[in-house]
Amino acid sequence: MSTRFFLAFLFVMLVIFAGWLYMIHDYGDTYLLEISRENGGIERLGAALFVLAGIIGILNVKRADKTLWKVFTFFMFTAAAREMDLHKSFTSDSIFKIKFYTSDAPVGEKLGGAIFIILLFLSLAALIRILFKRWRQIRYSNTPVVMTLAGLGFLACGKFLDGMARYVPALADFKFEHDALFRVAEETIETAGALLFVMAALHVYTLAKR
């Protein structure tokens, strides 16, 4: 899979994404909120793709750079757990909200939530560090790295949309008015990012088998 093919795929994916949002924007908030809700169809698909990327990452540990793929795999499974909100099985509220740590929630829940967040960000930081550390060696021609960085970019874009009202107060009213559509866009972009991780892992797996 060449870089040219990847760029073409990325372009097609963006076109499909834009077309998808255009087609559903008139469906009504009830429908949009239903498909973008927690544990809804889009979120479950994203979680499944993260798990798939993690499984392929495990297979790559024996075939390619062990350090890179161990970190990649850990991040994929942690991201899948985050996407599925598994933390809510042992906490009374979202561990990603500051109010959770200032509430009367049990200390054990707060400690568990803090540990999960630390592991998530440490794995993300380690993955980014490894990718950029080797950037001069692999350069732009290394398609899996470009895919992984693009996937991280998609995740960052999704998180930006989620907190856009806080980051850009001037757009708060606009986001509130189109909140349902923004939620669909956020979940879809994050799912697209997970798909790019699957492609990156699969690309290395197929190359290593040759």
Side-chain angles (χ1 to χ4, degrees), residues 35-187:
I35 64 174
S36 62
R37 65 180 174 83
E38 292 186 356
N39 291 318
I42 300 177
E43 191 170 274
R44 288 182 180 180
L45 175 60
L49 289 172
F50 278 122
V51 171
L52 178 59
I55 293 174
I56 302 175
I58 292 175
L59 299 176
N60 286 340
V61 169
K62 296 182 179 180
R63 293 179 168 83
D65 188 310
K66 290 185 177 181
T67 301
L68 171 61
W69 288 103
K70 284 180 180 179
V71 173
F72 177 93
T73 300
F74 184 81
F75 177 66
M76 290 301 109
F77 285 123
T78 307
R82 161 67 185 91
E83 196 70 10
M84 292 185 289
D85 293 320
L86 293 185
H87 60 278
K88 289 186 178 179
S89 62
F90 63 87
T91 61
S92 54
D93 199 355
S94 174
I95 62 175
F96 294 92
K97 296 179 180 179
I98 295 178
K99 67 177 184 179
F100 171 70
Y101 299 95
T102 58
S103 68
D104 296 329
V107 176
E109 290 187 9
K110 295 179 181 179
L111 181 60
I115 291 175
F116 182 85
I117 291 176
I118 290 173
L119 290 175
L120 177 62
F121 281 99
L122 283 179
S123 61
L124 173 60
L127 180 60
I128 294 176
R129 177 178 176 274
I130 292 173
L131 292 174
F132 277 97
K133 184 178 180 180
R134 301 173 187 183
W135 184 254
R136 291 184 178 180
Q137 299 174 3
I138 54 188
R139 297 183 182 277
Y140 187 71
S141 60
N142 193 298
T143 306
V145 175
V146 178
M147 289 178 178
T148 303
L149 290 174
L152 293 174
F154 272 55
L155 294 187
C157 184
K159 292 307 175 187
F160 173 79
L161 290 179
D162 183 35
M164 189 173 71
R166 298 191 302 272
Y167 306 140
V168 188
L171 296 177
D173 291 339
F174 177 77
K175 184 179 186 300
F176 179 77
E177 182 180 353
H178 303 281
D179 183 60
L181 186 61
F182 269 101
R183 290 191 184 188
V184 174
E186 174 204 341
E187 294 294 340

Side-chain angles (χ1 to χ4, degrees), residues 12-32:
V12 172
M13 189 167 64
L14 291 174
V15 171
I16 293 175
F17 169 67
W20 155 253
L21 291 182
Y22 178 77
M23 286 191 302
I24 66 172
H25 82 283
D26 284 333
Y27 278 30
D29 289 355
T30 301
Y31 173 77
L32 297 179

